[in-house]
Amino acid sequence: MAATPLYKQFADQLAASIREGVLLPGERIASVRIASQQRKVSVTTVVRAYELLESRGIIESHPQSGYFVREQAPASDKPAAKRSARQDNPAYQRSTEVDVSRLVLATLKTIQQDGTVPLGSPYPNPALFPSQRVSQYAGKIMRDASHSSVFDDLPPGHPDLLRQIARRYLENGLKVDPEEIVVTVGATEAINLCLQAVARPGDTVAVETPTFYAMLHAIERLGMRALEIPTDPQRGIDVDALEQIMKTQPVAACMVMPNFQNPLGFQMPDGEKERLVRLAERHQMPLIENAVYSELYYGNAHPSSLKNYDREGLVLHCSSFSKSLTSAYRIGWAMPGRYRAQVEKLKFLNTLTTPTAPQRAIAEYLTQGGYERHLRRVRRAFAQQRDLMRHFVLRFFPDGTQVSEPEGGYVLWVELPSRVDAMELYRRCLSLGITVAPGRIFAATNRYSHFIRLNYSYPWSREMEQALKLVGKLVLELSA
Amino acid sequence: MAATPLYKQFADQLAASIREGVLLPGERIASVRIASQQRKVSVTTVVRAYELLESRGIIESHPQSGYFVREQAPASDKPAAKRSARQDNPAYQRSTEVDVSRLVLATLKTIQQDGTVPLGSPYPNPALFPSQRVSQYAGKIMRDASHSSVFDDLPPGHPDLLRQIARRYLENGLKVDPEEIVVTVGATEAINLCLQAVARPGDTVAVETPTFYAMLHAIERLGMRALEIPTDPQRGIDVDALEQIMKTQPVAACMVMPNFQNPLGFQMPDGEKERLVRLAERHQMPLIENAVYSELYYGNAHPSSLKNYDREGLVLHCSSFSKSLTSAYRIGWAMPGRYRAQVEKLKFLNTLTTPTAPQRAIAEYLTQGGYERHLRRVRRAFAQQRDLMRHFVLRFFPDGTQVSEPEGGYVLWVELPSRVDAMELYRRCLSLGITVAPGRIFAATNRYSHFIRLNYSYPWSREMEQALKLVGKLVLELSA
């Protein structure tokens, strides 16, 4: 009797791993080349095994990104948010390759279409921005500076803007030297450069779960692995869980959004922020802080930053004006602590320069004043709209729906009844001209299959109410 | 008497090991952490010792890969340009790690200073640009589009600009579908994304030698290795040499600038361009083409592009408006052939979007007309200034100086008498308020220690002539 062929043996082992939950639905499996090396079998054997599993509907290939475990959430799959973090949950101890950007880009492009109700948008309502004034400055600077040369734009950034950013931090209780700052093309580039400065391809990077997908994008772009750390919807990343996990494996860096995290909306308590920084110090682990929502607080005072507790320059702080002043110019910045030189150099390598005119326009706006007044108006609007959005979601959505309580920013995290497939909801909403952000894009693994994120930065309207009612109806249908 | 500090003792021991050949040039030395453990000294001690050795030019740090014994070009090191390529020269068969960006940034920052004579500048004289008109469009667009949202900016780019770029290619004899194009933050980002789409960290990438440092930057940024291919000052990269080398080792991609290469100025003959593309086809090797100078030809017709010969989508063509229309906006693009989807995705990951207003301003300029007239004026000016620059260099510089014969663009490549240390020349010029670009930045290895590049995009002036005369005098001193 012939022995079982090697490729069938390998396929059966892999199927067992998937059945046992070692590999989760949506998770990427090792590339053919890697698997061939790891298992010490030929490339052909791996290819045949994968083809067999694909034909059985156990895995699927995504063009140009490899093979993935097919999405069939087992009944036992427990949602992570809204439950206390279990440090002994093995799902929290494995790092994962990341590939969410295609889905994110696809969802963003749907919002781009005219006339859609932008509940799925990650951006604040641009009508709230004082764009008219900033644009006037920019227009004037552009006309006057027609002979400006690219030299003026060399990193780290325009001195006027660096000074204004530092002044703004000082007003918010953080002493910053303008020389610590490197201007970037949005916070996106800042996060990318900071991560590249501190970790290498293949390294494991700890993230919150759920996390803002920009963090996952940075990890994906650099070929690193994401390690999802339990994150409390009120208190933020579980520092103890992170410490436990760091005992079992090397973690090259940790990326967090301590203030008004997207999508959960929490503000980490000061004590937790400090504990996180101390943990980082003990392990000399860099912390990448995404602070783009910090100005959008509903409380009485500007929240602290990890930078406030950073004694050793381990915090790489990233922010931008895109969420608080204008998104038209893509002006962000990094304060990379002890990694400043590397980040400045990577900025130079990545995009050479950030154009000066927009930097000068924003600097001019900040110099002329009115930013704080503008922000107060925005914060008030968002706080009211949060209450309305929560109210109507709880009214229109079926029993079992739970919503977050954001303390700043403009997004609501919604846990739907567990039978609801948020991707299917997303598709059905889209056919009605409504966008929602499916939970799938907030994790490297498919933990949030029945979660959505809703944007409440737009003023409440009859149209919004009708749209939300429709979404609620679809949720009810899908939960049946 | 105080004892020699510990870090100095350690530095001296290490220097001795290097002198005695225990550690070879190019060899990596122990990481700070490892050295600290091995020598039982503090991390600070090791860091200070390494800094001392670096300042002495004995070791050098390579980003994210540690410290290496410096390569000190032996006396027998022969310059590559102006000599026929030797395929059996072992210097052409080793790939090298790349770390030139710090030196490049330092030289660019010197040009930034007011009042320096910008002979070392890589940029064309901005006074030649029709910036006034483009800026007026931009100013108007910015004021009108104050509510524009970031969605309008999502990759691949603004449709009006994509159409105008495609139309421009068509006018120049290349049929391009607007959908092939991805707009980027300058050609710098385009080159970075294209390289990342086709090769991985550690891979070997073939480049011309000398090459434009933007190519080296892309390789450095991604932790790849540069393989320098003999490049003829008139005919461009030696296709036969490249083919020979590809038989001995895997080459993941090849990066070239076929038209008016910086720094050599050649235009590859059509036959050579075609041979290069056919070679790429036989090996299914991606070709990254940097075309930023293609519009700046002195001849009668627009030169062909590698894209003209590309039947299989293997050419990733990169360009920008920064050298021909305006550098103020950092608008570049890639036409990545079969790698389009990956490049669009990487663009999204890298900087999310390219701001729309500058894209629309340039599209408006191209729609309104006048680009070709502007370019004709610039080409005429550059052709005349080339002749003047060549004339005066040969007049002011000592015997043994040789100059290139650029057929487009605005830079001259100058081979000085072989005893001249171009880095020393660069420093002495700087002290006199004159910048030159040292040959060191045009190769991963120190092949061009007695070469400089001069910019002739500025109209000839008394001041320029005086400056050049001074440079000539310094060259004479250094060649003694």
Side-chain angles (χ1 to χ4, degrees):
Chain A
M1 200 185 83
T4 312
L6 206 53
Y7 79 91
K8 276 203 70 182
Q9 292 178 31
F10 176 29
D12 290 341
Q13 287 163 17
L14 205 57
S17 301
I18 291 167
R19 223 171 23 245
E20 291 156 19
V22 179
L23 284 163
L24 293 173
E27 202 167 339
R28 187 183 192 158
I29 62 176
S31 73
V32 170
R33 195 179 52 80
I34 298 285
S36 146
Q37 283 167 5
Q38 285 175 344
R39 306 271 180 154
K40 298 197 180 17
V41 295
S42 75
V43 164
T44 317
T45 302
V46 179
V47 169
R48 292 190 66 187
Y50 284 12
E51 283 171 352
L52 181 64
L53 290 172
E54 196 171 21
S55 71
R56 288 189 196 157
I58 295 172
I59 67 172
E60 56 190 4
S61 73
H62 295 184
Q64 288 162 4
S65 48
Y67 287 87
F68 293 74
V69 180
R70 262 185 76 167
E71 305 264 9
Q72 284 157 328
S76 67
D77 207 13
K78 290 287 196 302
K82 291 274 161 195
R83 293 199 167 71
S84 70
R86 298 260 329 260
Q87 293 165 25
D88 54 350
N89 181 344
Y92 282 117
Q93 294 173 16
R94 275 197 320 269
S95 66
T96 336
E97 286 196 16
V98 179
D99 182 26
V100 299
S101 66
R102 274 179 314 165
L103 182 57
V104 174
L105 184 55
T107 62
L108 290 180
K109 285 196 171 182
T110 63
I111 306 167
Q112 200 176 10
Q113 288 151 23
D114 281 343
T116 51
V117 184
L119 294 171
S121 170
Y123 302 107
N125 175 8
L128 293 168
F129 289 150
S131 314
Q132 199 78 26
R133 248 183 75 201
V134 186
S135 299
Q136 271 163 8
Y137 296 139
K140 184 166 169 6
I141 287 163
M142 289 219 162
R143 284 193 311 279
D144 296 349
S146 50
H147 283 188
S148 85
S149 103
V150 79
F151 298 120
D152 300 332
D153 310 347
L154 285 176
H158 197 281
D160 290 352
L161 183 63
L162 299 180
R163 260 194 308 276
Q164 288 299 326
I165 293 173
R167 194 176 64 84
R168 181 76 200 148
Y169 277 106
L170 198 63
E171 285 168 5
N172 290 329
L174 185 62
K175 200 167 150 21
V176 167
D177 186 326
E179 303 218 329
E180 295 175 48
I181 303 166
V182 178
V183 174
T184 56
V185 180
T188 305
E189 187 180 41
I191 291 166
N192 276 325
L193 304 181
C194 286
L195 186 59
Q196 190 169 359
V198 301
R200 309 177 62 166
D203 278 357
T204 292
V205 178
V207 293
E208 298 155 330
T209 186
T211 185
F212 182 43
Y213 50 73
M215 311 293 214
L216 297 175
H217 285 172
I219 294 171
E220 175 178 344
R221 169 178 166 274
L222 293 164
M224 300 171 184
R225 298 176 67 81
L227 180 64
E228 305 187 311
I229 307 297
T231 298
D232 184 272
Q234 263 98 43
R235 302 174 58 81
I237 195 165
D238 185 331
V239 179
D240 297 319
L242 175 59
E243 181 156 31
Q244 285 305 314
I245 286 172
M246 287 173 72
K247 285 178 184 160
T248 68
Q249 59 186 295
V251 176
C254 176
M255 306 178 86
V256 289
M257 192 180 250
N259 294 324
F260 322 124
Q261 194 242 23
N262 183 341
L264 290 174
F266 60 77
Q267 174 181 336
M268 269 180 98
D270 285 354
E272 289 300 294
K273 286 174 181 160
E274 183 165 10
R275 284 182 67 220
L276 180 60
V277 176
R278 296 294 161 260
L279 172 64
E281 284 173 1
R282 283 197 296 284
H283 294 265
Q284 291 293 296
M285 172 185 67
L287 282 171
I288 297 173
E289 173 179 35
N290 182 340
V292 295
Y293 300 107
S294 291
E295 293 277 19
L296 304 178
Y297 54 90
Y298 306 156
N300 293 319
H302 194 287
S304 70
S305 149
L306 296 185
K307 268 282 175 206
N308 290 75
Y309 308 99
D310 183 24
R311 302 177 297 202
E312 301 187 15
L314 281 164
V315 174
L316 300 96
H317 178 104
C318 303
S319 196
S320 87
F321 290 109
S322 297
K323 305 293 187 291
S324 53
L325 181 58
T326 170
S327 61
Y329 301 129
R330 312 276 312 120
I331 298 297
W333 65 92
M335 291 199 294
R338 65 163 80 157
Y339 307 97
R340 192 199 163 286
Q342 290 99 304
V343 168
E344 182 184 6
K345 179 176 148 173
L346 287 169
K347 161 65 195 177
F348 179 63
L349 291 178
N350 196 44
T351 48
L352 201 60
T353 67
T354 310
T356 291
Q359 296 186 51
R360 287 179 55 203
I362 290 177
E364 179 69 14
Y365 174 85
L366 296 174
T367 308
Q368 295 293 335
Y371 189 38
E372 186 56 35
R373 199 168 55 244
H374 149 69
L375 286 171
R376 274 201 301 270
R377 197 170 46 237
V378 170
R379 290 174 197 136
R380 258 198 314 273
F382 286 173
Q384 283 168 7
Q385 287 157 211
R386 169 198 60 182
D387 293 341
L388 285 163
M389 181 63 89
R390 293 187 84 237
H391 170 77
F392 283 104
V393 167
L394 292 173
R395 179 162 145 200
F396 292 143
F397 283 37
D399 284 353
T401 299
Q402 293 191 63
V403 297
S404 61
E405 295 178 72
E407 301 171 69
Y410 49 82
V411 296
L412 196 71
W413 184 239
V414 183
E415 179 171 5
L416 307 169
S418 61
R419 299 172 65 136
V420 178
D421 175 353
M423 282 305 298
E424 183 56 27
L425 176 66
Y426 158 77
R427 283 185 286 265
R428 292 200 191 175
C429 285
L430 208 54
S431 71
L432 300 174
I434 303 166
T435 65
V436 300
R440 184 71 186 86
I441 62 180
F442 300 97
T445 49
N446 191 11
R447 292 181 195 280
Y448 304 107
S449 59
H450 63 293
F451 287 76
I452 57 172
R453 188 197 63 188
L454 297 176
N455 181 317
Y456 56 81
S457 69
Y458 292 80
W460 201 254
S461 66
R462 187 92 199 125
E463 187 202 12
M464 186 82 76
E465 194 171 320
Q466 288 306 315
L468 201 66
K469 205 169 188 172
L470 268 175
V471 179
K473 224 179 112 205
L474 291 174
V475 171
L476 185 65
E477 283 172 29
L478 288 168
S479 63
Chain B
M1 198 184 86
T4 311
L6 206 54
Y7 79 93
K8 276 203 71 182
Q9 291 178 32
F10 176 29
D12 291 341
Q13 286 165 17
L14 206 58
S17 302
I18 292 167
R19 223 171 23 244
E20 291 154 20
V22 179
L23 283 164
L24 293 175
E27 202 167 339
R28 185 185 193 154
I29 62 177
S31 74
V32 170
R33 197 178 50 80
I34 299 284
S36 147
Q37 283 165 5
Q38 285 175 345
R39 306 272 181 152
K40 298 197 182 11
V41 294
S42 76
V43 164
T44 317
T45 300
V46 180
V47 169
R48 292 189 66 187
Y50 284 10
E51 282 172 353
L52 182 64
L53 290 172
E54 196 173 18
S55 72
R56 289 191 196 154
I58 295 171
I59 67 172
E60 56 191 4
S61 74
H62 295 187
Q64 292 168 359
S65 48
Y67 286 86
F68 292 77
V69 179
R70 254 183 83 166
E71 304 263 10
Q72 278 145 341
S76 66
D77 206 13
K78 290 287 196 302
K82 293 273 162 194
R83 293 199 167 72
S84 71
R86 299 259 329 260
Q87 294 165 23
D88 53 351
N89 181 344
Y92 283 116
Q93 294 173 15
R94 274 199 320 269
S95 66
T96 335
E97 285 200 13
V98 179
D99 182 25
V100 299
S101 67
R102 273 179 310 172
L103 182 57
V104 174
L105 184 55
T107 62
L108 290 180
K109 286 197 170 181
T110 62
I111 306 167
Q112 200 176 9
Q113 288 151 23
D114 281 343
T116 51
V117 183
L119 294 169
S121 171
Y123 301 107
N125 175 9
L128 293 167
F129 289 150
S131 314
Q132 199 79 27
R133 247 183 76 201
V134 186
S135 298
Q136 270 161 10
Y137 296 139
K140 186 168 168 5
I141 287 161
M142 289 218 161
R143 283 192 312 278
D144 297 350
S146 51
H147 283 189
S148 85
S149 103
V150 79
F151 298 120
D152 300 332
D153 310 346
L154 285 177
H158 196 280
D160 290 352
L161 183 63
L162 300 179
R163 261 193 309 274
Q164 287 299 326
I165 294 173
R167 194 177 64 84
R168 181 76 201 150
Y169 277 106
L170 199 63
E171 285 169 5
N172 290 328
L174 184 62
K175 201 167 149 21
V176 167
D177 186 328
E179 303 218 329
E180 295 176 48
I181 303 166
V182 178
V183 175
T184 56
V185 179
T188 304
E189 187 181 41
I191 292 166
N192 276 325
L193 304 180
C194 287
L195 186 59
Q196 189 169 1
V198 301
R200 308 177 62 165
D203 278 357
T204 292
V205 178
V207 293
E208 298 155 329
T209 185
T211 186
F212 182 41
Y213 51 72
M215 311 294 215
L216 297 175
H217 285 172
I219 294 171
E220 175 179 343
R221 170 178 166 274
L222 293 164
M224 299 172 183
R225 298 176 67 82
L227 181 64
E228 305 188 310
I229 307 297
T231 299
D232 184 273
Q234 262 98 43
R235 301 173 60 80
I237 195 165
D238 185 330
V239 179
D240 297 319
L242 175 59
E243 182 156 31
Q244 285 306 314
I245 286 173
M246 287 173 72
K247 285 178 186 161
T248 69
Q249 59 185 294
V251 176
C254 176
M255 306 178 86
V256 290
M257 192 180 250
N259 294 323
F260 322 125
Q261 193 242 23
N262 183 341
L264 290 173
F266 60 77
Q267 173 181 338
M268 268 179 98
D270 285 355
E272 289 301 294
K273 285 174 181 160
E274 183 165 11
R275 284 182 67 222
L276 180 59
V277 176
R278 297 295 161 262
L279 171 64
E281 284 173 359
R282 284 197 296 283
H283 295 265
Q284 291 293 296
M285 172 185 67
L287 282 172
I288 297 173
E289 173 179 33
N290 182 340
V292 293
Y293 300 107
S294 291
E295 293 278 21
L296 304 178
Y297 54 90
Y298 307 156
N300 293 319
H302 194 286
S304 70
S305 149
L306 296 185
K307 268 281 174 206
N308 291 75
Y309 307 99
D310 183 25
R311 302 177 297 203
E312 300 187 16
L314 281 164
V315 175
L316 301 95
H317 178 103
C318 303
S319 196
S320 86
F321 290 109
S322 297
K323 305 293 187 290
S324 53
L325 181 57
T326 170
S327 61
Y329 301 130
R330 312 276 312 121
I331 298 297
W333 65 91
M335 291 199 294
R338 65 163 81 157
Y339 307 97
R340 192 199 164 288
Q342 291 99 305
V343 169
E344 183 184 6
K345 177 176 147 176
L346 287 169
K347 161 66 196 177
F348 179 62
L349 291 178
N350 196 44
T351 48
L352 200 60
T353 67
T354 309
T356 292
Q359 295 186 52
R360 288 179 56 203
I362 291 177
E364 179 68 14
Y365 174 85
L366 296 173
T367 308
Q368 295 294 335
Y371 189 38
E372 185 56 36
R373 199 169 55 243
H374 149 69
L375 286 171
R376 275 202 300 271
R377 197 170 47 236
V378 170
R379 290 174 197 136
R380 259 199 314 274
F382 286 171
Q384 284 169 6
Q385 287 158 212
R386 170 197 60 182
D387 294 340
L388 286 164
M389 182 63 90
R390 293 187 84 238
H391 170 76
F392 282 105
V393 167
L394 292 173
R395 181 164 143 199
F396 292 144
F397 284 36
D399 284 354
T401 300
Q402 293 189 65
V403 297
S404 61
E405 294 177 73
E407 299 172 70
Y410 49 82
V411 296
L412 196 71
W413 183 238
V414 183
E415 178 171 5
L416 306 170
S418 62
R419 300 173 63 139
V420 178
D421 176 353
M423 281 305 297
E424 182 57 27
L425 176 66
Y426 158 76
R427 284 185 286 265
R428 292 199 190 175
C429 285
L430 207 54
S431 70
L432 300 173
I434 303 165
T435 65
V436 300
R440 183 71 187 84
I441 62 180
F442 300 96
T445 50
N446 190 11
R447 290 182 197 280
Y448 304 107
S449 57
H450 63 293
F451 287 76
I452 57 172
R453 188 197 63 187
L454 298 175
N455 181 316
Y456 56 81
S457 69
Y458 293 80
W460 200 253
S461 67
R462 187 93 198 125
E463 187 202 11
M464 186 82 77
E465 195 170 320
Q466 288 306 315
L468 201 66
K469 205 170 188 172
L470 268 176
V471 179
K473 224 180 110 204
L474 290 174
V475 172
L476 185 63
E477 284 171 26
L478 288 168
S479 65

